Amino acid sequence: MMTKLGPLLLVLLLAGPESSCGDNPRYEKFLRQHYDNPKSSFSGKYCDSIMAKRGLTKPECKEVNTFIHETKNNIKAVCEEGGEPYGNLRRSKEHMKVTTCKLKGGSTRPPCKYKENSSPRYIVIGCENGWPVHYDESQIVTTVDNADLD
Ligand code: U3P
């Protein structure tokens, strides 16, 4: 019995810290609110479905929320070499695949209906000890960098 479980335990031990990060509730919350990779497919509208599924429509509709469709490693890298300082925050050096859901209408009372925008954006996040813990804003890529024109 133990000989069969041995390799499984080893895999769980090795995968543990990267896959669960169970000791960082702020990072867990960040993932629940802002990480969806690959982008989920729903039978109904993406934003209406995922906002409800991630618990962002109770007791009131959250007004703006962004989901990032990039790997956890790429997102975490923004806290390090993949990002640069932006005030107290970090801005991604590359634009990222994201969907921003914005509440339609003026009331935050459910049912919650959202419009969505999926243009690529630089993301601005807050980090704590190298872990993303806060999504601040996204900046739509509007200008062509001078470097691209050279
Ligand atoms: N927010 C987004 N995307 C945006 C702008 C704001 O998700 O582009 P929090 O619960 O304070 O972390 O700014 C207010 C809230 O809107 C933030 O939520 C932020 O995550 C979200």
Side-chain angles (χ1 to χ4, degrees):
M1 185 62 170
M2 274 314 285
T3 48
K4 278 191 184 151
L5 282 179
L8 178 66
L9 283 176
L10 188 64
V11 167
L12 285 178
L13 277 176
L14 290 175
E18 181 51 31
S19 62
S20 70
C21 300
D23 56 351
N24 191 337
R26 293 195 70 199
Y27 177 58
E28 292 290 332
K29 184 179 174 198
F30 177 90
L31 292 179
R32 175 175 63 83
Q33 294 199 135
H34 301 295
Y35 169 73
D36 183 39
N37 190 57
K39 185 177 178 181
S40 304
S41 58
F42 296 103
S43 50
K45 290 201 173 121
Y46 175 79
C47 279
D48 293 358
S49 305
I50 194 160
M51 290 295 288
K53 190 175 165 209
R54 299 297 180 87
L56 302 174
T57 55
K58 280 182 189 159
E60 285 193 301
C61 312
K62 187 171 178 182
E63 289 183 68
V64 186
N65 194 75
T66 303
F67 294 96
I68 311 167
H69 316 301
E70 302 279 347
T71 63
K72 287 183 194 173
N73 279 346
N74 280 356
I75 299 169
K76 187 172 185 291
V78 176
C79 296
E80 290 148 12
E81 74 285 352
E84 51 207 6
Y86 190 79
N88 290 332
L89 303 164
R90 306 276 303 172
R91 181 185 189 266
S92 63
K93 286 182 185 165
E94 306 284 334
H95 54 247
M96 298 196 144
K97 292 195 285 286
V98 300
T99 302
T100 293
C101 303
K102 272 206 177 113
L103 188 64
K104 287 182 192 166
S107 162
T108 56
R109 200 174 329 141
C112 315
K113 301 281 174 210
Y114 291 91
K115 54 178 186 270
E116 57 192 74
N117 186 320
S118 294
S119 48
R121 290 149 191 247
Y122 300 105
I123 65 168
V124 178
I125 61 175
C127 301
E128 191 180 82
N129 303 321
W131 295 97
V133 293
H134 168 68
Y135 191 97
D136 199 74
E137 61 169 312
S138 9
Q139 301 181 338
I140 299 182
V141 182
T142 49
T143 52
V144 179
D145 288 337
N146 286 337
D148 292 342
L149 298 173
D150 291 343

